[in-house]
Amino acid sequence: MKIQELAEKIGLSVHTIRYYEKEGLLDERHVQREKNNYRTYSDEAIERLKLIKKFQGIGCSLIELKDILQDHDTNTRTNQQVIEWILQKINEIERKKEEFDRMLETLNFMLTYRVTLETDPEKARSLLAAAKLNSGK
Amino acid sequence: MKIQELAEKIGLSVHTIRYYEKEGLLDERHVQREKNNYRTYSDEAIERLKLIKKFQGIGCSLIELKDILQDHDTNTRTNQQVIEWILQKINEIERKKEEFDRMLETLNFMLTYRVTLETDPEKARSLLAAAKLNSGK
DNA sequence: GTAAACTATAGAGTGAACTCTAAGGCAAGC
DNA sequence: GCTTGCCTTAGAGTTCACTCTATAGTTTAC
């Protein structure tokens, strides 16, 4: 498939896809050239780009991904190093999930405050005051 | 308290704190000027900056935060709009948590693959092949 | 009283990840 | 065969969130 088709399939711009290639995130398994110099993408390219998007979603940089996503036979990283990285990422995500839970609590309080403000501003202020006392503990 | 003390307390640089002020994330409740033009920060500034850090951790931009964190009496946003924003954020976080769970699955698979590769490369390749079949379903 | 350490400002520089532009080559439809 | 649209490249521009520099004024410690 050609670049635009791929772009539409995965929701990236053609610019971004070419940029990722330039940054070394795609290799010959994902993209080849035709006689006219046009890029042709394999189905593996779809999977690869989806994986990149996933990893980006959890806050990985492109450089990090480049290092890690390379096949085991290219030896910029040893298998042990990759295992270390994966374990670390798993840990990071666990911690982020906890952070999200704390954030949900904060947002829920903000919501209660704002909703109360609509109907009973007096009560809202007392909620705020109570929260301040709690935070100061 | 002066800027450096605040910076040390919350783990930001003095540059960043001044930058946040310039971007409208702090107001007179958080920072005032002394006769010598030095900034003095209230305890509320600590809370505010901690909150900003929290929100940043879940991927909010500073512009977004500026809009939302302003007190209800400043009317760039109505209370209803803020409530909408909070509900949307809660939703976003719930979805992100799901994404994290899927990501953990992916990472766990990658880990299994890499660990297997250490001891039994043949088996590792069959894991990969099985995964490809599954992804194509 | 002077040197070191802090404060202020304006504005330049950085790095990541795009995003867009210009200038040209190929391809498909009429 | 020509227009429209997609493809190529190199490289410039953008945005975000800092981060740093230069220059100058103020405060503190000895």
Side-chain angles (χ1 to χ4, degrees):
Chain A
M1 103 200 71
K2 277 186 281 183
I3 195 161
Q4 191 161 337
E5 193 186 336
L6 177 65
E8 278 159 15
K9 257 181 190 153
I10 54 172
L12 288 174
S13 74
V14 295
H15 300 291
T16 303
I17 293 170
R18 282 193 283 250
Y19 171 69
Y20 283 176
E21 184 185 342
K22 207 179 72 187
E23 294 300 303
L25 288 157
L26 303 176
D27 61 33
E28 60 288 346
R29 286 173 301 163
H30 314 108
V31 56
Q32 305 258 330
R33 294 300 180 119
E34 301 199 31
K35 276 168 223 145
N36 58 14
N37 200 33
Y38 284 17
R39 290 171 180 85
T40 322
Y41 295 91
S42 67
D43 285 350
E44 257 185 282
I46 299 176
E47 294 310 311
R48 167 60 63 111
L49 289 167
K50 278 185 185 167
L51 194 61
I52 292 170
K53 278 181 95 176
K54 260 192 175 185
F55 272 113
Q56 288 227 101
I58 62 162
C60 295
S61 72
L62 297 183
I63 289 165
E64 206 177 358
L65 288 181
K66 183 191 160 173
D67 266 20
I68 295 306
L69 289 181
Q70 303 195 328
D71 223 2
H72 50 89
D73 47 38
T74 76
N75 45 16
T76 45
R77 298 277 159 174
T78 68
N79 205 37
Q80 265 308 323
Q81 279 178 309
V82 175
I83 288 171
E84 281 307 312
W85 181 87
I86 294 171
L87 287 170
Q88 193 201 304
K89 275 293 150 194
I90 287 173
N91 211 283
E92 255 174 54
I93 295 176
E94 304 281 16
R95 275 187 287 108
K96 274 242 164 155
K97 273 181 71 179
E98 286 163 26
E99 197 187 323
F100 277 20
D101 283 334
R102 285 194 300 276
M103 205 60 225
L104 281 174
E105 276 178 41
T106 304
L107 283 168
N108 273 315
F109 172 77
M110 286 174 72
L111 185 62
T112 307
Y113 169 69
R114 291 282 173 170
V115 169
T116 308
L117 204 61
E118 289 283 272
T119 56
D120 189 349
E122 189 56 40
K123 197 178 165 194
R125 267 186 290 278
S126 76
L127 279 175
L128 213 56
K132 268 182 193 166
L133 281 174
N134 276 319
S135 79
K137 267 199 292 208
Chain B
M1 108 200 67
K2 276 187 282 184
I3 195 161
Q4 191 162 338
E5 194 186 336
L6 177 65
E8 279 158 16
K9 258 181 189 152
I10 54 172
L12 288 174
S13 75
V14 295
H15 299 292
T16 304
I17 294 169
R18 282 194 283 249
Y19 170 68
Y20 284 176
E21 184 185 343
K22 208 179 71 188
E23 295 299 305
L25 288 157
L26 304 176
D27 61 34
E28 60 287 346
R29 285 173 301 165
H30 313 107
V31 56
Q32 305 259 331
R33 294 299 181 119
E34 300 200 32
K35 275 167 225 145
N36 58 13
N37 200 34
Y38 284 17
R39 291 171 179 85
T40 322
Y41 295 90
S42 67
D43 285 349
E44 258 185 281
I46 300 176
E47 295 309 312
R48 166 61 62 114
L49 289 167
K50 278 184 185 166
L51 195 59
I52 291 170
K53 278 180 94 176
K54 260 192 176 184
F55 273 112
Q56 288 226 101
I58 61 160
C60 295
S61 73
L62 297 183
I63 288 165
E64 205 177 359
L65 288 180
K66 182 190 161 173
D67 266 19
I68 294 306
L69 288 180
Q70 300 194 331
D71 222 1
H72 51 89
D73 47 38
T74 75
N75 45 17
T76 45
R77 298 275 160 175
T78 68
N79 205 38
Q80 265 309 321
Q81 279 177 311
V82 175
I83 289 171
E84 282 307 312
W85 181 86
I86 294 170
L87 287 170
Q88 192 201 306
K89 274 294 150 194
I90 288 172
N91 211 281
E92 251 173 57
I93 296 176
E94 304 281 17
R95 273 186 288 109
K96 274 239 165 158
K97 274 181 70 180
E98 287 163 24
E99 196 188 322
F100 277 18
D101 284 333
R102 284 193 300 276
M103 206 58 225
L104 282 174
E105 276 177 41
T106 303
L107 284 168
N108 274 315
F109 172 76
M110 286 173 72
L111 185 62
T112 307
Y113 169 69
R114 291 282 174 170
V115 169
T116 307
L117 203 63
E118 290 282 272
T119 56
D120 190 349
E122 188 56 42
K123 197 177 164 196
R125 267 185 290 279
S126 75
L127 279 175
L128 213 57
K132 268 181 192 165
L133 282 175
N134 275 319
S135 80
K137 265 198 294 208

